[in-house]
Amino acid sequence: MKLSLYVVSDSLGETGEQVVKACLSQFHVEDYEINRFSYVLNIEVLHEILIKASQEEKAILIYTLVNPEFIEYVKNYTKDSKLIAVDLLSPLINSIREVSGLSPMGEPGIIRRLDQAYFSRVEAIEFAVKYDDGKDPRGVLKADVVIIGISRTSKTPLSMYLANKNLKVANIPLVPESIPPRELDKVSKKRIIGLTNSPVKLIEIREERLRSLGLPKGSSYSSMQRILDEIEYAERIMKKIGCPIIDVSNKAIEETADIIISHLKKSGVKILPD
């Protein structure tokens, strides 16, 4: 005769179902059925599930409920019936409460929200990598924020930092020899941030960059005139767009990121919690 397993949850019920499958794998049982009931949020629905499970000859009720009222209802119902009910969460929750001295929140679906925040962050990081340094200018159309600036203005590290705050960031290098991608014209100036740096700081950073690459110091890349030309070109582009311009010369990444997030919030851009 078929074994019926009823998984009841006030959230999605994935945890309960996975535990059931893990336990079933320890037995040579082939004739079984898992009935999952998600988002059970009122007593009437819970009562109907209990009645249905009770009518089965071989049934087990497995529940991952956090509402104390619902848990007590299941216990009272099964106390005078033959239905076997297994509470997966309460024993561990009670143990944590006893040892930690903390009180559980009793909110269903919290782990789901935590998982969603994690996956949103991973997605944002993958986005930042894919659309870093203008690799694919189409990314600016999908981005929460677009960072523009000349070389060595911290565009990439800032993009990665903001990605860890659940923001999808694309960054575009501004070079006098290249025209900014036309996709930039289709983005609201509220979502575009310009970065600049002091010429002296840029010389220092670029010379260090050349040294790390084993290249000679006298390259035009780190010359004062080249840097001044780049800054002038970039600021002309930024002023034309009308976006904020942040001087990063004396700012940590975290400080610049806070300025950007504050600007986005004031501009009405939705920011997910990190």
Side-chain angles (χ1 to χ4, degrees):
M1 190 171 290
K2 182 167 64 178
L3 177 64
S4 296
L5 300 125
Y6 286 73
V7 178
V8 181
S9 176
D10 43 20
S11 184
L12 196 59
E14 285 181 326
T15 300
E17 185 170 355
Q18 289 302 314
V19 171
V20 167
K21 288 180 177 178
C23 292
L24 285 170
S25 68
Q26 298 297 315
F27 299 88
H28 296 294
V29 55
E30 296 179 359
D31 193 11
Y32 69 88
E33 181 181 21
I34 298 175
N35 304 283
R36 189 169 90 185
F37 297 88
S38 304
Y39 303 109
V40 177
L41 300 173
N42 65 69
I43 291 292
E44 289 76 17
V45 173
L46 179 59
H47 182 74
E48 289 176 8
I49 296 168
L50 289 167
I51 291 174
K52 187 176 180 181
S54 298
Q55 292 170 346
E56 298 270 6
E57 189 167 340
K58 287 190 175 182
I60 301 173
L61 183 85
I62 301 95
Y63 57 100
T64 55
L65 301 168
V66 296
N67 186 320
E69 182 186 356
F70 286 21
I71 295 169
E72 193 62 27
Y73 191 88
V74 173
K75 287 180 178 178
N76 289 334
Y77 183 94
T78 56
K79 184 168 56 178
D80 299 319
S81 76
K82 294 181 180 179
L83 177 63
I84 296 173
V86 180
D87 184 349
L88 290 183
L89 298 184
S90 294
L92 182 54
I93 287 176
N94 291 335
S95 296
I96 293 173
R97 176 172 52 193
E98 183 179 340
V99 173
S100 68
L102 301 172
S103 297
M105 289 180 283
E107 294 181 26
I110 291 178
I111 190 170
R112 191 76 182 167
R113 294 199 293 274
L114 292 174
D115 286 346
Q116 187 56 49
Y118 168 77
F119 287 118
S120 294
R121 186 176 293 112
V122 170
E123 185 181 358
I125 291 170
E126 290 176 346
F127 187 95
V129 172
K130 183 175 182 179
Y131 298 112
D132 179 48
D133 205 33
K135 290 175 187 172
D136 184 348
R138 292 173 298 180
V140 303
L141 302 175
K142 309 172 190 175
D144 295 316
V145 59
V146 180
I147 295 173
I148 59 176
I150 64 175
S151 174
R152 316 322 290 177
T153 50
S154 302
K155 296 187 300 298
T156 295
L158 186 56
S159 295
M160 295 306 299
Y161 185 89
L162 290 170
N164 274 283
K165 298 288 184 180
N166 287 327
L167 284 168
K168 292 182 179 178
V169 187
N171 73 73
I172 301 291
L174 297 179
V175 184
E177 292 78 14
S178 300
I179 299 172
R182 62 180 181 274
E183 286 85 356
L184 208 55
D185 298 329
K186 301 176 184 177
V187 180
S188 167
K189 64 181 181 181
K190 294 178 180 179
R191 295 179 180 269
I192 301 175
I193 301 291
L195 301 182
T196 190
N197 207 335
S198 73
V200 174
K201 191 74 173 176
L202 280 170
I203 289 175
E204 179 185 328
I205 294 170
R206 290 188 178 189
E207 285 183 349
E208 180 58 37
R209 175 64 173 163
L210 290 172
R211 273 196 298 272
S212 69
L213 295 173
L215 297 174
K217 185 178 178 180
S219 169
S220 64
Y221 174 71
S222 61
S223 72
M224 177 61 80
Q225 188 56 53
R226 171 65 188 186
I227 287 172
L228 290 173
D229 290 344
E230 286 187 30
I231 291 174
E232 182 185 356
Y233 170 76
E235 289 186 351
R236 192 162 64 244
I237 297 293
M238 295 171 193
K239 287 175 182 176
K240 182 180 177 182
I241 292 171
C243 65
I245 303 174
I246 302 173
D247 186 343
V248 301
S249 55
N250 294 306
K251 291 182 177 65
I253 295 294
E254 296 85 352
E255 186 180 356
T256 306
D258 286 343
I259 294 171
I260 292 173
I261 291 171
S262 176
H263 165 76
L264 292 174
K265 286 180 177 177
K266 288 177 182 176
S267 301
V269 178
K270 185 179 179 182
I271 307 292
L272 292 172
D274 57 24

